[in-house]
Amino acid sequence: QRRVAITGRDLTGECNYGGRVTDDWDRRCITTILRVYYNEDVVHDNKYKFSPSGTYYAPPNGTYDSYIQFIKQLPPTQLPEVFGMHDNVDISRELQDTKHLFEDLLLTQAQSTGGGGGDSTEQKLTDIATDILSKLPASFDIDDAVEKYPVKYEESMNTVLVQEMERFNRLCGVIKTSLQNLQKAIKGLVVMSESLEKVAGSLMVGKVPELWSKSSYPSLKPLGSYINDLVARLKFLKTWFANDKPTCFWISAFYFNQAFLTGVKQNYARKYTIPIDKLDLDFEVLPCDDIDQHPEDGAYVKGLFLEGARWDNKKMSLAESLPKVLYDTVPVIWLKPAVKTEISTEGKYVSPVYKTSARQGQLSTTGHSTNFVVAINLPTIKPQKHWVLRGTCILCSLDD
């Protein structure tokens, strides 16, 4: 019976459905869900429970009519517990539905603005463009950055800083150029091209223009929050340039987070003359929200959020989310490079880290995902499958 259960899981999770799933985290989710239904207890227990409350269970042997009656007495709307999720997911679903509804309504509004909005529309666009341009600082001086933070064998963070400045300069250049051209088009100095019309339509409904998104880091924030977030990231890099390497890095501020993580491992590898391909990152959550000293090895990071769970500072482990609290701030995490064979995941939940709550991305030309960042090992009292069913992950930024 145990062999049959394992075979059923393999056929369903790895061949039938899993064979079409290319993401390792999705396959882990599928196999974990199937373990609830493909196991020996389903055969031995006459009322095997599929959910903690016992509302959903395997009915005993009976007639066709008894099965129909059993199905009719089930709740008309599936409760989150049948999927192993927290009750908070109902709130997340309703928020998502509301968001899609308003996006569709705004889409119709955007299409109707081109028919003759008059001076009011043009004035609004001018005000929005002027406001955004006033918030964006001057571009970073790359020559000064290279001179102050030259390439060093023992300090890879210098290269990380300069490369981040270059990436943000390109992004800000696209934003500034499009807004300046839009202002000129409104005044009749240049032709209102199709791309500028799309930018104008997005600005009017508070969305980030597609032209910007193509040159931007992944973000699901609306226009106002996106600009504020961008300005905060630029301030982080400016402070780093002026005051030297920070004691605790705001990891969410990086355009390309993987470069920073590689730099942490590279510093360790060069310091102890260990091949970098033999190293990986271990993690330790510290009971503080910030820290004012550098670690001996590795790096301290902050600015992450937990979804599907919360962090218990007393037990120093994952805990159930509080009712109606969808996200929880993660304390400072110490990234500790170590040899792969010395890193243990026992008693820990291997949590994926995503840049946005979309939890999906594409492989870029660098071989990295445009959304997935890294997997962090978090201490847990409950088994890992519990958090897999909860859909627990870490996010670099929220949607608002």
Side-chain angles (χ1 to χ4, degrees):
Q1 291 172 345
R2 181 174 183 273
R3 188 176 300 172
V4 170
I6 295 175
T7 304
R9 287 203 300 264
D10 291 340
L11 287 174
T12 308
E14 300 293 343
C15 301
N16 189 12
Y17 295 105
R20 307 181 186 188
V21 177
T22 57
D23 186 82
D24 292 337
W25 303 105
D26 290 341
R27 186 176 289 110
R28 182 182 74 165
C29 181
I30 289 175
T31 55
T32 302
I33 292 173
L34 289 176
R35 283 193 179 93
V36 178
Y37 300 93
Y38 287 87
N39 60 73
E40 296 177 72
D41 294 335
V42 176
V43 179
H44 296 302
D45 191 343
N46 288 332
K47 286 190 176 183
Y48 174 77
K49 297 178 181 179
F50 295 113
S51 64
S53 67
T55 303
Y56 301 92
Y57 62 91
N61 290 333
T63 62
Y64 173 81
D65 292 334
S66 67
Y67 295 143
I68 296 298
Q69 188 61 34
F70 170 78
I71 294 172
K72 287 182 177 179
Q73 70 181 11
L74 291 175
T77 303
Q78 290 81 9
L79 301 176
E81 65 169 289
V82 73
F83 305 106
M85 295 180 172
H86 193 276
D87 290 343
N88 284 348
V89 299
D90 273 341
I91 302 175
S92 299
R93 177 183 55 80
E94 290 167 358
L95 288 174
Q96 195 72 12
D97 291 343
T98 305
K99 178 183 177 183
H100 290 322
L101 173 62
F102 279 104
E103 283 179 349
D104 292 340
L105 291 174
L106 289 174
L107 186 61
T108 60
Q109 180 183 347
Q111 292 174 345
S112 65
T113 54
D119 294 337
S120 60
T121 300
E122 294 179 352
Q123 186 60 47
K124 287 179 182 178
L125 287 172
T126 301
D127 293 342
I128 293 172
T130 302
D131 181 59
I132 294 175
L133 287 172
S134 67
K135 291 180 179 179
L136 295 178
S139 299
F140 295 112
D141 191 322
I142 303 301
D143 292 334
D144 285 351
V146 171
E147 182 179 353
K148 186 174 181 180
Y149 296 94
V151 176
K152 286 186 178 182
Y153 179 81
E154 66 277 5
E155 184 52 87
S156 298
M157 289 302 154
N158 289 0
T159 304
V160 172
L161 173 61
V162 174
Q163 290 179 348
E164 284 292 306
M165 287 181 166
E166 291 175 344
R167 295 186 184 101
F168 277 102
N169 274 355
R170 285 195 294 268
L171 171 58
C172 290
V174 171
I175 295 175
K176 291 177 181 178
T177 301
S178 63
L179 291 177
Q180 290 166 353
N181 288 338
L182 179 62
Q183 289 178 324
K184 292 178 181 178
I186 292 173
K187 295 178 181 178
L189 301 177
V190 298
V191 177
M192 178 70 80
S193 63
E194 182 181 355
S195 61
L196 288 180
E197 285 184 356
K198 291 181 178 178
V199 170
S202 297
L203 295 181
M204 286 299 296
V205 297
K207 290 179 62 177
V208 178
E210 184 180 353
L211 179 65
W212 301 1
S213 299
K214 290 179 180 178
S215 302
S216 174
Y217 48 85
S219 177
L220 300 178
K221 294 179 180 293
L223 179 63
S225 299
Y226 175 84
I227 295 300
N228 292 336
D229 179 62
L230 174 60
V231 171
R233 294 175 187 236
L234 296 173
K235 183 179 179 181
F236 168 74
L237 293 179
K238 184 178 180 180
T239 304
W240 183 351
F241 174 78
N243 303 330
D244 207 352
K245 185 172 66 174
T247 55
C248 187
F249 292 89
W250 178 25
I251 189 172
S252 305
F254 290 99
Y255 187 108
F256 187 45
N257 312 74
Q258 289 89 341
F260 166 72
L261 299 175
T262 301
V264 173
K265 292 192 291 185
Q266 202 168 55
N267 282 348
Y268 186 87
R270 291 174 174 176
K271 180 179 179 180
Y272 296 101
T273 61
I274 303 174
I276 193 171
D277 58 348
K278 292 185 178 180
L279 296 176
D280 207 346
L281 291 174
D282 199 5
F283 307 90
E284 181 180 344
V285 183
L286 306 180
C288 58
D289 296 325
D290 206 345
I291 197 165
D292 58 1
Q293 59 183 9
H294 292 281
E296 183 177 352
D297 294 312
Y300 296 129
V301 297
K302 62 180 180 180
L304 298 174
F305 304 91
L306 262 173
E307 183 180 23
R310 67 179 176 88
W311 182 256
D312 190 332
N313 272 321
K314 294 182 179 179
K315 297 181 179 179
M316 293 303 290
S317 69
L318 287 174
E320 292 289 356
S321 299
L322 297 176
K324 301 181 181 180
V325 180
L326 304 183
Y327 305 100
D328 187 50
T329 304
V330 181
V332 172
I333 298 179
W334 181 11
L335 309 183
K336 301 189 293 183
V339 178
K340 293 179 180 179
T341 55
E342 298 176 356
I343 299 176
S344 173
T345 58
E346 185 177 356
K348 296 180 180 179
Y349 169 63
V350 183
S351 173
V353 179
Y354 297 101
K355 295 181 182 180
T356 69
S357 63
R359 302 195 188 194
Q360 61 182 1
Q362 299 173 343
L363 282 179
S364 62
T365 54
T366 60
H368 297 86
S369 169
T370 54
N371 202 355
F372 174 74
V373 180
V374 70
I376 290 183
N377 305 325
L378 298 173
T380 174
I381 299 175
K382 296 185 177 181
Q384 179 164 230
K385 66 178 182 180
H386 175 81
W387 302 114
V388 174
L389 294 175
R390 283 286 195 260
T392 302
C393 75
I394 295 178
L395 304 176
C396 290
S397 65
L398 304 180
D399 298 352
D400 51 12

